[in-house]
Structure formats: C-alpha cells, structure tokens
C-alpha cells in the first residue's frame, strides 16, 4: 500500500458514514463511478479523502434525479483547493436554484388551495400541468394559473412523449438563466447578445405554437401580466420586462415578422 492505512476507510466504514449500502459502493466500483484508491493486503477496498469527495458529488447529484450516466459526466475534479472551491460553489448554485423552484411549487400549491376555497373546479388538465411544471422545474410554471382551458389542453398534449417535453423545458431553463445574466450585466437588448437570445427564444415560441398566429398571440397574452407575477421571481420579472420584451420586439422588427 502506498498510503497510511489509518487515513483510509474500509468499504463498510464509508458506507456507514455516508448512509449508503456496501452493495451500492461495490456497484459504483464495478461500473467505474467510484473506484477505491487503495486495496488492503487482504484485498479489501480502501477509500481516501478524494474518494469521499467523489462519493459526495455522486450522492449530491443522485439526490436531484440525475442518472448514473449523467453523474459520470458532471463529476468535477477535487485534487486542489481551487477545484474543491469550484465544486462546492457549483453545488451551492444548484441548491439556490432548487430553493427558487421549491418556492414556485409552494406558490402553485397556494394557487390550487385558493381555487378550491373559492369553489372553482380543478380540472384534470390543470392538475396534470401543475404536477408536470413542479416536477420539471419550469421557471415560468407560475403562469399556468393564467392559461385558458383550451390553451392548457394544447400545451399538455403538444409533445409526443415526456423526453421531448423535458428537452423543451431544459432549453427554457438555459435561456432563462442567460436572460437574467444579460439583464444583470446591463447588456443592450438590441445588441448582439440580446438579439441572439431573442432569436433562440422566438424559436421556442414557434416550436411550441407551430408558428400559428393565434396560438402565438394567446401565448404572449398569457405571459403579459408581468406585474402580477409572484414576488419570489423578481429577477425574472424585471429581466423579462426590461430586457426580453424589448429584445424580442427588436428581433421581430428587424426580421420583418408580423403577428396578424
């Protein structure tokens, strides 16, 4: 062995301290996800501090529903202090995003409670749309309350399968993050970066609506009540009002796109 065995953990010790089973660690070893740094003279798996950092990342990502294949691609190196700092900062950002998403979930649930108290019937489509938005973490899920029944039915049945819906939702999250970044950096909505974002956003609009003018108008109208957006999405609200709106307006004008 190349290291002091006192600084290493056996597979059983690591399993107990991290709340996983020995069988799980053995599986991670056989799949190459977490290969122990050392083996004892008797052939037992022995894990170093670096192995513990790697397991921490695996368990963290697994708690957010990532597959083992996705986890393998997302693992960060932790050899230096700088790399450790990057890892924990990344995890902090993920947790902060989760906090925002959970606040959105609470807001949606409160909407359902208010509708029930007011005697309104919760349709199956509205309930399923809310559940889907909660599960996928759509940053605009709070807009569901403003959708008409026809529009909700259309959106609910728009994609052939869940994978397509997840891909679309992921694109929205990426563009939303970029939108807030450009807004915070005081970028010009009509500048190069603003117009790139507007083009990608308009692509999503036309993909969802299949380019049908009536659906586009309904979609834009649904999100037009910005002043009524919940307080926990203040950044998104201001970015949409001050940046995205002008950026898309300029994009439509520059590309001679008219909604009749």
């Amino acid at each position: 062995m190349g290291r002091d065995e006192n600084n290493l953990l056996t597979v059983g010790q690591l399993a107990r301290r991290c709340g996983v089973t020995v069988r799980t660690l053995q599986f991670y070893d056989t799949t190459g996800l977490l290969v122990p740094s050392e083996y004892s003279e008797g052939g037992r798996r022995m894990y170093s501090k670096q192995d513990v950092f790697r397991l921490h990342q695996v368990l963290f990502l697994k708690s957010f529903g990532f597959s083992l294949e996705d986890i393998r691609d997302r693992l960060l190196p932790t050899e230096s202090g700088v790399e450790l700092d990057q890892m924990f900062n990344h995890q902090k950002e993920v947790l902060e995003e989760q906090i925002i998403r959970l606040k959105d979930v609470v807001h949606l649930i409160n909407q359902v409670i208010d509708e029930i108290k007011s005697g309104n019937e919760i349709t199956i489509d509205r309930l399923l749309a809310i559940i889907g938005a909660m599960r996928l973490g759509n940053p605009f899920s709070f807009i569901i309350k403003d959708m008409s029944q026809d529009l909700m039915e259309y959106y609910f049945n728009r994609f052939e399968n869940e994978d397509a819906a997840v891909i679309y939702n992921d694109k929205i999250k990426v563009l939303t993050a970029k939108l807030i970044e450009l807004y915070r950096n005081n970028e010009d909505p009509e500048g190069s970066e603003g117009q790139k974002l507007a083009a990608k956003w308009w692509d999503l609009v036309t993909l969802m609506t299949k380019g049908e003018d009536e659906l586009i108008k309904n979609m834009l109208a649904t999100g037009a009540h910005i002043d009524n957006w919940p307080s926990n999405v203040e950044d998104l609200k201001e970015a949409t009002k001050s940046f995205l709106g002008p950026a898309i307006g300029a994009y439509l004008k520059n590309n001679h796109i008219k909604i009749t």
Side-chain angles (χ1 to χ4, degrees), residues 93-137:
E93 291 171 1
V94 171
L95 289 172
E96 287 173 344
E97 291 174 1
Q98 184 74 352
I99 289 170
I100 293 173
R101 192 185 74 80
L102 289 174
K103 286 181 179 179
D104 288 342
V105 171
V106 170
H107 182 72
L108 283 171
I109 292 174
N110 282 334
Q111 289 175 357
V112 173
I113 292 172
D114 289 342
E115 290 196 33
I116 292 172
K117 285 182 178 179
S118 63
N120 294 332
E121 180 183 357
I122 306 298
T123 66
I124 291 178
D125 283 336
R126 185 173 294 275
L127 181 60
L128 290 174
I130 289 172
I131 291 173
M134 289 164 57
R135 182 166 48 81
L136 294 174

Side-chain angles (χ1 to χ4, degrees), residues 76-78 80-91:
L76 300 174
T78 57
S80 67
V82 172
E83 290 172 341
L84 277 175
D85 180 69
Q86 290 174 341
M87 180 194 77
F88 283 115
N89 269 302
H90 173 69
Q91 292 185 356

Side-chain angles (χ1 to χ4, degrees), residues 2 5 38 56 77 91 112 123 127 141 153-154 185 192 200 211-212 238-239 250 252 258:
E5 190 168 341
E38 303 280 354
H56 167 71
Q91 292 185 356
V112 173
T123 66
L127 181 60
S141 57
E153 288 179 2
Y154 171 80
N185 291 339
S192 173
K200 292 178 180 179
E212 297 181 17
E238 292 303 319
L252 297 180
K258 293 183 179 181

Side-chain angles (χ1 to χ4, degrees), residues 3 34 37 48-55 78-80:
R3 304 184 189 182
L34 179 66
S37 294
S48 69
K49 184 168 68 175
Q50 294 300 324
D51 296 331
V52 175
F53 282 136
R54 187 175 177 88
L55 177 60
T78 57
E79 295 294 332
S80 67

Side-chain angles (χ1 to χ4, degrees), residues 28-230:
Y28 289 167
D29 182 8
T30 58
T31 58
L33 192 62
L34 179 66
V35 178
S37 294
E38 303 280 354
Y39 288 89
S40 70
E41 293 181 359
R44 292 189 304 170
R45 294 176 175 86
M46 305 295 290
Y47 294 86
S48 69
K49 184 168 68 175
Q50 294 300 324
D51 296 331
V52 175
F53 282 136
R54 187 175 177 88
L55 177 60
H56 167 71
Q57 291 189 74
V58 171
L59 298 179
F60 178 83
L61 293 169
K62 191 170 183 291
S63 71
F64 285 92
F66 289 105
S67 68
L68 295 184
E69 290 75 16
D70 288 336
I71 290 173
R72 194 188 310 277
D73 294 335
R74 291 171 180 266
L75 290 175
L76 300 174
T78 57
E79 295 294 332
S80 67
V82 172
E83 290 172 341
L84 277 175
D85 180 69
Q86 290 174 341
M87 180 194 77
F88 283 115
N89 269 302
H90 173 69
Q91 292 185 356
K92 183 184 74 170
E93 291 171 1
V94 171
L95 289 172
E96 287 173 344
E97 291 174 1
Q98 184 74 352
I99 289 170
I100 293 173
R101 192 185 74 80
L102 289 174
K103 286 181 179 179
D104 288 342
V105 171
V106 170
H107 182 72
L108 283 171
I109 292 174
N110 282 334
Q111 289 175 357
V112 173
I113 292 172
D114 289 342
E115 290 196 33
I116 292 172
K117 285 182 178 179
S118 63
N120 294 332
E121 180 183 357
I122 306 298
T123 66
I124 291 178
D125 283 336
R126 185 173 294 275
L127 181 60
L128 290 174
I130 289 172
I131 291 173
M134 289 164 57
R135 182 166 48 81
L136 294 174
N138 188 308
F140 289 92
S141 57
F142 54 86
I143 292 179
I144 289 174
K145 68 181 179 65
D146 296 321
M147 285 187 182
S148 67
Q149 184 64 31
D150 289 343
L151 195 59
M152 185 171 298
E153 288 179 2
Y154 171 80
Y155 287 154
F156 185 71
N157 296 297
R158 173 63 182 83
F159 296 105
E160 296 179 357
N161 53 60
E162 183 174 343
D163 288 343
V166 168
I167 291 171
Y168 185 85
N169 191 75
D170 286 345
K171 289 179 179 179
I172 291 178
K173 289 192 284 187
V174 169
L175 290 187
T176 300
K178 185 64 176 180
L179 164 63
I180 293 175
E181 176 190 333
L182 294 176
Y183 165 71
R184 288 176 176 172
N185 291 339
N186 295 314
E187 293 282 351
D188 181 5
E190 297 186 28
S192 173
E193 289 300 312
Q195 289 306 287
K196 285 180 184 177
L197 179 74
K200 292 178 180 179
W201 209 282
W202 191 249
D203 285 344
L204 287 186
V205 170
T206 54
L207 174 62
M208 174 59 78
T209 61
K210 298 181 180 179
E212 297 181 17
D213 284 353
E214 193 63 32
L215 285 173
I216 291 175
K217 286 191 288 186
N218 288 339
M219 186 176 186
L220 296 179
T222 298
H225 308 293
I226 295 180
D227 291 333
N228 295 329
W229 289 9

